[in-house]
């Protein structure tokens, strides 16, 4: 009896165990789809918004490009500085920004107007510069001005009391591009030394990681700054550059005023602009 009871008990337990397994299998078959659905929902929740946002961003970029192509924002001179040499000529530097995200300003023109203490115009010059890539900041230094009074038979040097700067882009001279100036140039400053003839010599190297605007040359601008970091003036030089190769520069600053610090910048210089 005892053996039979044990046998019956074992059979019963086996049956219960089998039922338990069937129940687990049934539960598994019922919950698996729910789990799969949950996984799908999670995928949609994590990937869907990202893909949707990417589509929104793409549409926004397209709208921005279309708007800028039709009506680009003007270039901005956000800082400038100058000083007059003994001969009346003016060395100056300007900081130019292109606020557009997708269009380049082709051959913009800087106008430089010098006036005397009475507000009379001593000189009014225009200087054509290379293109200014979108969402980029450029520094340009040039020389402008007159060496003498424009009066007949006068040789008196007249230095301006004020100098005003503006920049314009010719109508129809905007082009769409995805190139930017940032992070393309690396400048290794070699310092400034006094030369035997009284000028400052700025030396160093400049390296371009790629060719912008198809340029095989680059301009290097030394911008003189006051104690507040504002521009006082500048000097520049054109150097031959090959992507990935450091190029030496040496820039002589004749008649440079006292300055608190200086910074060196580089930008592309197409050959036609250097001619």
């Amino acid at each position: 009896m005892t053996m039979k009871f044990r046998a019956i008990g074992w059979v019963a337990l086996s049956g219960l165990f089998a039922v338990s397994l069937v129940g687990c299998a049934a539960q598994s078959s019922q919950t698996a789809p729910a789990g799969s659905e949950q996984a799908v929902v999670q995928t949609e929740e994590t990937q869907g918004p990202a893909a949707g946002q990417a589509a929104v961003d793409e549409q926004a970029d397209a709208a921005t490009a279309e708007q800028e192509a039709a009506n680009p924002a003007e270039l901005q001179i956000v800082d400038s500085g100058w000083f007059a040499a003994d001969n009346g000529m003016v060395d100056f530097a300007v900081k130019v920004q292109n606020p557009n995200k997708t269009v380049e300003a082709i051959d913009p023109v800087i106008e430089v107007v010098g006036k005397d203490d009475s507000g009379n115009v001593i000189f009014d010059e225009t200087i054509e510069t290379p293109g200014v890539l979108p969402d980029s900041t450029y520094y340009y230094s040039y020389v402008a001005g007159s060496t003498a009074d424009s009066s007949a038979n006068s040789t008196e040097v007249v230095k301006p009391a004020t100098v005003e700067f503006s920049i314009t882009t010719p109508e129809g001279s905007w082009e769409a591009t995805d190139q930017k100036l940032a992070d393309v140039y690396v400048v290794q400053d070699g310092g400034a030394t006094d030369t035997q003839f009284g000028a400052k010599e700025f030396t160093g190297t400049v390296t371009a990681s790629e060719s912008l605007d198809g340029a095989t040359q680059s301009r290097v601008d030394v911008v003189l700054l006051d104690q507040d970091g504002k521009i006082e003036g500048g000097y520049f030089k054109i150097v031959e550059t090959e992507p990935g190769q450091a190029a030496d520069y040496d820039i002589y600053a004749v008649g440079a005023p006292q300055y608190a610090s200086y910074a060196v910048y580089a930008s592309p210089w197409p050959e036609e602009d250097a001619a």
Side-chain angles (χ1 to χ4, degrees):
M1 292 293 293
T2 303
M3 294 295 295
K4 186 175 181 180
F5 177 77
R6 289 179 177 174
I8 293 174
W10 174 250
V11 171
L13 289 174
S14 299
L16 290 174
F17 184 71
V19 171
S20 177
L21 289 176
V22 171
C24 289
Q27 184 177 4
S28 176
S29 64
Q30 292 174 357
T31 58
S36 299
E37 291 173 357
Q38 185 178 9
V40 171
V41 171
Q42 288 176 347
T43 299
E44 291 175 349
E45 288 178 350
T46 56
Q47 295 184 0
Q53 186 61 46
V56 170
D57 292 342
E58 185 176 353
Q59 292 176 353
D61 291 344
T64 298
E66 182 177 358
Q67 179 181 0
E68 290 181 346
N71 187 29
E74 293 296 328
L75 298 180
Q76 302 169 358
I77 294 180
V78 296
D79 193 14
S80 62
W82 61 277
F83 61 89
D86 291 338
N87 63 0
M89 299 297 289
V90 170
D91 288 271
F92 72 89
V94 293
K95 178 181 180 181
V96 177
Q97 290 182 344
N98 182 350
N100 299 287
K101 304 297 182 182
T102 63
V103 291
E104 175 184 8
I106 304 299
D107 298 332
V109 176
I110 297 174
E111 183 176 13
V112 187
V113 180
K115 299 180 180 179
D116 62 18
D117 290 326
S118 301
N120 300 312
V121 175
I122 302 174
F123 61 84
D124 185 346
E125 297 183 18
T126 56
I127 302 172
E128 187 176 286
T129 67
V132 179
L133 291 168
D135 198 20
S136 299
T137 300
Y138 284 64
Y139 290 81
Y140 293 123
S141 50
Y142 287 103
V143 177
S146 175
T147 59
D149 191 338
S150 59
S151 303
N153 301 322
S154 175
T155 58
E156 180 184 358
V157 173
V158 179
K159 295 182 180 182
T162 62
V163 179
E164 301 170 354
F165 305 94
S166 61
I167 188 168
T168 57
T169 304
E171 185 176 356
S173 295
W174 294 89
E175 291 184 1
T177 180
D178 57 1
Q179 288 190 318
K180 302 287 191 298
L181 181 64
D183 302 325
V184 171
Y185 287 95
V186 174
V187 175
Q188 185 66 47
D189 177 27
T193 58
D194 294 319
T195 65
Q196 294 180 350
F197 52 90
K200 287 283 186 181
E201 181 183 12
F202 298 88
T203 60
T205 63
V206 57
T207 305
S209 61
E210 61 180 288
S211 176
L212 296 177
D213 280 345
T216 59
Q217 297 176 313
S218 299
R219 65 174 286 148
V220 180
D221 287 82
V222 172
V223 180
L224 308 180
L225 306 170
D226 65 16
Q227 60 184 4
D228 296 320
K230 300 296 184 180
I231 295 176
E232 289 192 347
Y235 301 85
F236 81 100
K237 184 174 185 177
I238 306 301
V239 297
E240 298 287 338
T241 51
E242 291 289 339
Q245 298 182 14
D248 295 328
Y249 68 81
D250 57 334
I251 299 175
Y252 291 91
V254 179
Q258 292 294 322
Y259 58 90
S261 62
Y262 68 90
V264 186
Y265 301 94
S267 57
W269 186 263
E271 290 185 12
E272 58 267 23
D273 293 305

